Structures are given as C-alpha cells and as structure tokens.
C-alpha cells in the first residue's frame, strides 16, 4: 500500500480487513510502498516519513499481526530496486505506456509533471515488488488487474529469456462492499467525504451526524426511502441485520428520525473503531514497537529477496 495520505473506513473494509483474513491462510508480505509514493509525489517529499509511520500504525491497528505475516517498508529492502533495474532492461516501453492507469492518472494529476521514468515505470516497480517474493497471488482490487497482467507478462519474458524463476502471479480478487462517504459518493480522500482511522471519536460522531440523508425526509414525519440514504448504505456494512431492518422500516414509515438512525450507526462504527483507536494510541505512544516490528519484517523479507536475487543474477549471467 502506497504511503500517501491517511486511511479511511473504505480502505479498512476493502483492503485491510481482507489482508487480516489472508494472514491466516497464506504466507503474506505486506509493506508500505514509500518508493511508489515518490512516483507522483517526488517534488514534495516532506509528508512521506510521517505517512509511512501512520500507515504502519494503521496496518497493526487494523489487525495485521507480525507473528502471522511479514510487515516492512519497501525502501528498506533494496532488492526490490535491483530487480526493478534488471527488469527494466527487458521491458518494452510500449508495455508500460499501454497500462490504462498511466494516461488516466496523468490526466487526473495534471498539475504535476508526470513525464518521468519513475511514473512510467510504476507498474514495473510493482512487478519487482511482487515477483521478488516469487509470489503466487496478489490480493488486488479489480482496477489493479491490468497492472498485474503486465507483471505476468514481464515474469513470462524473464523466464523465457533466462530461466524459469518466477511464477506468474495471479489476482486474489475479493468482493467487498462499496463504502460511501458522508456525501453519498464513494468514500475517497479526494472528495473530502471520508471517515479516517485517525479521526477522533468526536470527529467520527460529527461526520456521521452531519451525513447526507434521503432528501425526501425533511421533517421527522416525512416518510423516506433508506435505499436513497448513504446512512443506510453504511448501516448495511456496520449494523446487525436486526438493526438494518429496524431503521429501514422506521425510515419508510416515519417511525424513526434521522438523528436516532444515525445514533445507531455511530454506536456500530465506534464498535469497529474502538480497538483501532486503542491500538493506534498505544503505538503512537510507543514508536519503538513499530521499529522492532519493521526491523523483524525487513530481515525476513531480505532473506527471501536475497535468495531470489542470487538466482536472478546467476540466470542473467552476472558475475
Ligand atoms: S432514517 Fe436513516 S436511512 Fe432514513 S433517511 Fe434518515 S438517516 Fe437515512
């Protein structure tokens, strides 16, 4: 996960909760991709150190367990960069240029000069990040599948040119609910509608209290349609079935007010956030725990990547 900005409930319900489940089923490697943050944020690197730390705190607060999975920072495992360099020798430019997100993102971030190799080579660095572990699976969202396709092509090209070293990584796609933000659009940093894991209880409560509702419910006596209310969309994720039925019926019959409905949601979001707040607080007060975890994770990651790079150097005929 790229270290750029704070994590929100959408990231928790989407990626992180899935990662937590996977750590019991696979030998997982999770890292903060700080080099990736440079591909678009090279002109101002001042936020990277803090956001790297914050992301690590969120990994742990969300339930990643360093006893079950390997947690580290990309830039500490230099072999990612070595493999990236070697793969750049065999990767045709056209493969990188045709990754759909390349042009889309350039458009999206028009104010930044992204005509750099680092930005074009983003999917190549990502390929190195994956295949340096000779990984079989990558837990990705559907939008990342084209990136993974190029990783498969590059692995195949390496295997064809030199030696069968890399498995072609497959996507481990997971269905997860779309999390809406406080304005009803998809929860996103760029829409300024997100509830962040680093928000205080007061902030979370305020954000939910002021959330958009079904516009037809102006007064408590107006009947509403919960399906048109972002509050109900969040109930579907965070509330029990019984509570969902209770608020949906209450909304349709004007038997419940929006304030009461939101109070139930606040209680349930708090239930999810409370252990996260507790853990965040503990880690923020004791940063040495983070250092210890990262050092341990880095050592383990380096052991695997060094083995891979030994094979790669030999296969490519380097001395
Ligand atoms: S009662 Fe709940 S679901 Fe219905 S409009 Fe109000 S906040 Fe939304």
């Amino acid at each position: 996960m790229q270290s750029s900005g704070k994590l929100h409930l959408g990231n928790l319900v989407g990626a992180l909760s899935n990662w937590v489940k996977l750590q019991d089923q696979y030998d997982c490697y999770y890292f903060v991709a700080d080099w990736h943050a440079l591909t678009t944020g090279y002109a101002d690197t001042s936020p990277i150190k803090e956001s790297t730390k914050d992301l690590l705190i969120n990994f742990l607060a969300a339930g990643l367990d360093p006893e079950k999975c390997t947690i580290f920072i990309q830039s500490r495992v230099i072999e990612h960069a070595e493999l990236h360099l070697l793969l750049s020798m065999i990767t045709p430019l056209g493969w990188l240029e045709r990754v759909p997100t390349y042009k889309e993102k350039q458009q999206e971030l028009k104010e930044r000069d992204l005509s750099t190799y680092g930005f074009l080579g983003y999917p190549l660095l990502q390929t190195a990040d994956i295949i340096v572990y000779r990984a079989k699976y990558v837990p990705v969202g559907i939008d990342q599948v084209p990136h993974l396709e190029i990783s498969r092509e590059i692995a195949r090209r390496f295997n064809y040119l030199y030696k069968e070293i890399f498995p072609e990584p497959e996507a481990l796609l997971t269905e997860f609910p779309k999390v809406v933000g406080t304005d009803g659009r998809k929860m996103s940093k760029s829409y300024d509608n997100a509830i962040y894991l680093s928000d205080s209880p007061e902030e979370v409560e305020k954000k939910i209290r002021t959330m958009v509702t079904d516009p037809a419910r102006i007064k408590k006596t107006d009947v509403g349609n919960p399906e048109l209310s972002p509050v109900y969309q969040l109930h579907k994720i965070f509330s029990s079935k019984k509570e969902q039925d209770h608020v949906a019926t209450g909304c349709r019959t004007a038997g419940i007010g929006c304030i009461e409905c939101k109070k139930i949601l606040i209680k349930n979001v708090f239930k999810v956030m409370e252990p996260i707040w507790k853990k965040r607080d503990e880690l923020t007060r004791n940063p040495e725990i983070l250092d210890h975890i990262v050092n341990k994770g880095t050592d383990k990651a380096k052991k695997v990547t060094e083995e891979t790079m030994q094979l790669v150097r030999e296969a490519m005929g380097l001395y």
Side-chain angles (χ1 to χ4, degrees):
M1 198 176 272
Q2 192 171 307
S3 56
S4 53
K6 304 185 284 185
L7 290 194
H8 53 64
L9 279 183
N11 304 125
L12 177 75
V13 173
L16 275 182
S17 303
N18 184 36
W19 289 12
V20 172
K21 281 187 214 132
L22 293 174
Q23 68 182 349
D24 289 319
Q25 301 165 39
Y26 298 92
D27 182 16
C28 297
Y29 290 77
Y30 297 125
F31 64 89
V32 179
D34 52 350
W35 281 332
H36 280 284
L38 292 173
T39 58
T40 53
Y42 64 86
D44 177 14
T45 59
S46 59
I48 291 184
K49 208 181 270 179
E50 257 325 289
S51 46
T52 297
K53 188 174 153 198
D54 194 56
L55 192 49
L56 284 167
I57 290 177
N58 281 328
F59 278 5
L60 298 160
L64 289 187
D65 178 349
E67 295 301 321
K68 294 182 181 172
C69 64
T70 308
I71 299 169
F72 59 97
I73 301 170
Q74 181 187 31
S75 62
R76 296 273 300 274
V77 184
I78 211 82
E79 288 77 9
H80 288 227
E82 184 186 356
L83 186 58
H84 173 228
L85 172 88
L86 295 177
L87 294 177
S88 77
M89 308 298 170
I90 67 165
T91 305
L93 273 180
W95 289 14
L96 297 171
E97 283 161 349
R98 69 163 197 248
V99 173
T101 46
Y102 174 60
K103 291 220 164 68
E104 276 165 29
K105 201 130 190 209
Q106 261 182 337
Q107 279 298 318
E108 205 180 290
L109 299 171
K110 261 198 211 112
E111 71 289 356
R112 300 188 195 177
D113 178 5
L114 296 182
S115 54
T116 56
Y117 168 68
F119 183 67
L120 177 68
Y122 181 107
L124 186 58
L125 179 56
Q126 207 168 40
T127 299
D129 294 333
I130 298 165
I131 70 175
V132 78
Y133 296 93
R134 285 170 277 162
K136 291 199 181 73
Y137 301 107
V138 193
V140 287
I142 191 87
D143 54 325
Q144 288 284 320
V145 170
H147 279 185
L148 196 58
E149 195 42 48
I150 194 178
S151 299
R152 293 164 57 81
E153 279 177 298
I154 295 166
R156 206 175 304 144
R157 187 163 164 89
F158 182 99
N159 290 344
Y160 169 76
L161 285 171
Y162 308 110
K163 196 176 173 190
E164 277 293 316
I165 290 180
F166 299 115
E168 289 179 31
E170 286 172 39
L172 209 56
L173 283 173
T174 336
E175 288 284 326
F176 43 76
K178 183 179 144 210
V179 181
V180 295
T182 49
D183 59 359
R185 291 184 290 174
K186 185 181 174 214
M187 190 176 284
S188 161
K189 274 184 286 233
S190 34
Y191 294 151
D192 195 23
N193 65 0
I195 297 172
Y196 293 104
L197 302 190
S198 53
D199 282 346
S200 67
E202 294 73 29
E203 284 168 315
V204 173
E205 187 171 346
K206 189 169 165 218
K207 284 182 180 178
I208 298 179
R209 259 198 293 113
T210 52
M211 261 185 93
V212 170
T213 57
D214 174 4
R217 290 208 77 187
I218 299 163
K219 297 191 296 298
K220 195 179 165 184
T221 47
D222 296 328
V223 291
N225 178 355
E227 293 299 339
L228 300 178
S229 169
V231 177
Y232 185 61
Q233 301 310 316
L234 292 188
H235 270 300
K236 283 188 189 168
I237 298 168
F238 296 102
S239 301
S240 68
K241 184 76 186 67
K242 204 172 149 202
E243 285 167 318
Q244 288 175 37
D245 293 344
H246 170 66
V247 296
T249 310
C251 184
R252 287 197 183 96
T253 58
I256 186 176
C258 292
I259 297 176
E260 194 186 336
C261 176
K262 286 175 174 179
K263 270 191 188 154
I264 300 172
L265 180 63
I266 291 168
K267 174 194 71 149
N268 292 328
V269 170
F270 271 35
K271 250 192 238 161
V272 174
M273 300 278 284
E274 262 152 13
I276 294 177
W277 284 323
K278 203 166 155 239
K279 189 88 189 170
R280 279 188 59 89
D281 187 47
E282 182 197 336
L283 291 165
T284 311
R285 276 186 293 106
N286 301 293
E288 68 283 357
I289 303 179
L290 273 190
D291 292 339
H292 174 72
I293 291 169
V294 170
N295 289 342
K296 197 174 141 214
T298 303
D299 286 348
K300 175 143 182 250
K302 277 189 88 69
K303 228 172 131 202
V304 179
T305 58
E306 272 166 11
E307 264 174 37
T308 302
M309 289 318 297
Q310 192 62 34
L311 295 172
V312 168
R313 289 181 211 117
E314 271 169 27
M316 291 183 83
L318 299 170
Y319 183 71

